[in-house]
Amino acid sequence: MDTENPAPIVEKDTTDAETSLDSSHLGKKIQKKVPKRIHKAEREKMKREHLNELFLGLADALELSEQMNGKASVLSEAARFVKDMLSQIKHMRTENTTLLSESQYVSVLISGSFASLEMLPIFSLFNVL
């Protein structure tokens, strides 16, 4: 009989513990929903504030007036600015290619001139100059 008494008590304690865990677990679920909503609202607010700061920074970088500080104005001006910069980059690349080909042409002419001068006798150089 001594061995039978502790077993039901352990089972009863386990059952009570499970019941208390279940009720506390449900309570935690209910309690978590409210702070989670509040936390989500705070995250969204911080996200909006961060985006607004980024828009203000972009407006400052573009040196826009106060009248054109709206988000749509900032985005349209940024798009226009990027298009202008891409156009300038394309123009500069074309100009760079042209200058490189001219530079190669001049270097070929110069190296060709020196090659022909090396073949001349030294005294004919003085006569040419």
Side-chain angles (χ1 to χ4, degrees):
M1 282 202 176
D2 290 332
T3 57
E4 291 178 10
N5 286 338
I9 294 172
V10 172
E11 289 177 13
K12 187 176 182 183
D13 288 342
T14 308
T15 307
D16 289 341
E18 289 175 2
T19 307
S20 65
L21 285 175
D22 288 340
S23 64
S24 66
H25 182 66
L26 291 174
K28 287 181 181 179
K29 278 187 176 179
I30 293 170
Q31 289 174 354
K32 284 184 180 179
K33 285 185 180 180
V34 175
K36 190 174 182 180
R37 288 180 189 161
I38 292 171
H39 184 66
K40 183 178 180 182
E42 288 174 1
R43 283 192 323 241
E44 290 295 323
K45 183 178 178 183
M46 289 174 59
K47 184 178 175 180
R48 285 191 309 270
E49 289 174 356
H50 181 66
L51 284 172
N52 287 337
E53 289 173 8
L54 291 174
F55 272 106
L56 288 174
L58 184 57
D60 287 342
L62 294 171
E63 299 176 352
L64 297 178
S65 65
E66 292 290 325
Q67 296 169 351
M68 297 186 67
N69 248 359
K71 291 178 183 176
S73 298
V74 170
L75 288 176
S76 64
E77 284 298 312
R80 184 193 58 77
F81 183 77
V82 168
K83 286 178 184 178
D84 288 347
M85 290 295 113
L86 290 173
S87 173
Q88 286 182 10
I89 289 170
K90 185 178 178 181
H91 175 72
M92 288 179 152
R93 283 184 178 160
T94 305
E95 187 176 346
N96 186 33
T97 305
T98 305
L99 290 172
L100 284 174
S101 65
E102 288 176 2
S103 161
Q104 290 172 350
Y105 178 73
V106 169
S107 66
V108 166
L109 285 178
I110 290 173
S111 65
S113 302
F114 287 136
S116 63
L117 288 177
E118 289 174 0
M119 294 181 185
L120 294 175
I122 231 31
F123 60 87
S124 63
L125 279 177
F126 291 111
N127 291 337
V128 172
L129 296 175

